[in-house]
Amino acid sequence: MAQEEPASARTPLSKRLLRWSLRVAAVLISVFALQVGLLAFPQAILRNQAEAGSVVVYYPGDPDSAIQELAQATDHRLRAGGFGNPDLPERIFFFPDQGLYSFFARLARVQPEAQGFGVSYLGTNYVSGTRVTALGERTGRSPRYSVWEGSIAHTMAHEVAHQYMIDSIGRSAWIALPHWKQEGFPEYISNIGLIREDTASSLPSRIEILLDDDLWLGPRSWDRIHYEAGLMMEFQLEVQGMDLRSVLADSVTREDTHTAMLEWFRGR
């Protein structure tokens, strides 16, 4: 009697490959769905929350009045400048410790060294208390109204401001913008309300800081560009009287804006 051939031998190779491909695809889809689910709803892990007007801050651990104060400071930054919508509060996920923040940063394929980041298509914003505080300690919290002041509320407002900008013009248009426009407007939103309240911090006084070469040596050289972006955006919106969409036009260049800002500064 002839021995029966195994079922696997009777199945064509192409069908076996298809089965394995479908299994691998199912696993990959499941992993991706889990990844997106965690990024979209981190409150499954960060169960505490602090609400303040235009923002809701989620965080791990026990209820903390200091985080409620952070939420209020962030809301003040946004609303003092005419931004922030209490009817549609933005979600911020705050991590006092680095470990869990690094986990989410890697899920989003962002460097864990970043102070904060946003996932615009999910409407989520993430901020590391550890990274922001450490930066402020290294820099002596100066200059003010920049990432170098090590303000967690500033970083929170900055990340939310990116979301405002993307919602306003669309993600594709935002990606196509030059760096100074991408970062300048969030810096403007984050700071302009406090700047208006601070009579000692005029735009000319902050341009003087920008032009102080000694201040921007070493690792600060990169953030000089970042600081400059906020000043140029402020110059166009506050001094030149332009609106955001006009500033974002291709015809408005960094070179022309920088030149016009310095001419205005030196002509005062």
Side-chain angles (χ1 to χ4, degrees), residues 45-48 58-64 67 94-97 100:
I45 298 174
L46 281 65
R47 297 184 180 278
N48 278 308
Y58 297 88
Y59 60 96
D62 297 326
D64 189 338
I67 297 178
F94 176 62
F95 303 85
D97 299 315
L100 196 54

Side-chain angles (χ1 to χ4, degrees), residues 11-261:
T11 304
L13 177 60
S14 60
K15 288 188 176 181
R16 296 204 302 274
L17 290 175
L18 178 60
R19 287 177 185 172
W20 278 106
S21 297
L22 292 174
R23 290 171 184 169
V24 170
V27 170
L28 292 176
I29 291 170
S30 298
V31 170
F32 177 74
L34 177 61
Q35 177 182 354
V36 172
L38 285 172
L39 287 171
F41 302 102
Q43 58 265 44
I45 298 174
L46 281 65
R47 297 184 180 278
N48 278 308
Q49 66 184 67
E51 298 184 37
S54 59
V55 298
V56 180
V57 179
Y58 297 88
Y59 60 96
D62 297 326
D64 189 338
S65 60
I67 297 178
Q68 180 65 48
E69 292 173 3
L70 277 177
Q72 292 168 345
T74 303
D75 175 62
H76 177 68
R77 281 180 179 258
L78 295 170
R79 297 174 72 180
F83 303 92
N85 184 354
D87 295 327
L88 294 170
E90 297 287 343
R91 296 184 298 160
I92 302 171
F93 299 95
F94 176 62
F95 303 85
D97 299 315
Q98 185 66 14
L100 196 54
Y101 173 81
S102 295
F103 168 75
F104 277 94
R106 292 190 177 98
L107 276 183
R109 299 185 180 181
V110 172
Q111 291 294 329
E113 291 76 17
Q115 295 181 72
F117 66 93
V119 182
S120 61
Y121 64 90
L122 296 175
T124 52
N125 306 281
Y126 303 79
V127 173
S128 166
T130 301
R131 299 299 301 174
V132 176
T133 302
L135 181 62
E137 290 172 351
R138 289 201 308 272
T139 62
R141 303 191 181 282
S142 68
R144 291 195 67 192
Y145 310 120
S146 76
V147 297
W148 292 94
E149 67 178 325
S151 164
I152 294 172
H154 170 247
T155 303
M156 287 181 173
H158 180 99
E159 294 306 326
V160 168
H162 275 301
Q163 188 70 50
Y164 289 162
M165 196 174 185
I166 292 168
D167 290 344
S168 175
I169 66 174
R171 181 170 175 78
S172 297
W174 179 82
I175 290 172
L177 291 173
H179 176 271
W180 78 271
K181 294 181 182 182
Q182 283 185 342
E183 295 298 331
F185 189 61
E187 282 299 283
Y188 172 81
I189 289 181
S190 302
N191 297 312
I192 192 60
L194 299 189
I195 288 168
R196 289 171 180 163
E197 298 168 358
D198 184 356
T199 57
S201 191
S202 65
L203 179 56
S205 70
R206 284 175 288 118
I207 293 175
E208 288 180 356
I209 293 172
L210 175 69
L211 298 177
D212 183 355
D213 293 335
D214 292 338
L215 180 65
W216 304 101
L217 297 174
R220 289 193 176 196
S221 59
W222 176 86
D223 199 63
R224 189 178 199 172
I225 299 171
H226 199 83
Y227 188 69
E228 176 189 80
L231 296 184
M232 291 195 299
M233 186 63 67
E234 182 181 344
F235 170 74
Q236 292 286 26
L237 296 173
E238 298 286 314
V239 177
Q240 301 289 71
M242 299 180 72
D243 59 33
L244 176 61
R245 288 194 175 272
S246 298
V247 175
L248 297 185
D250 292 341
S251 58
V252 179
T253 66
R254 177 199 173 278
E255 292 74 17
D256 289 346
T257 300
H258 188 266
T259 298
M261 183 177 74

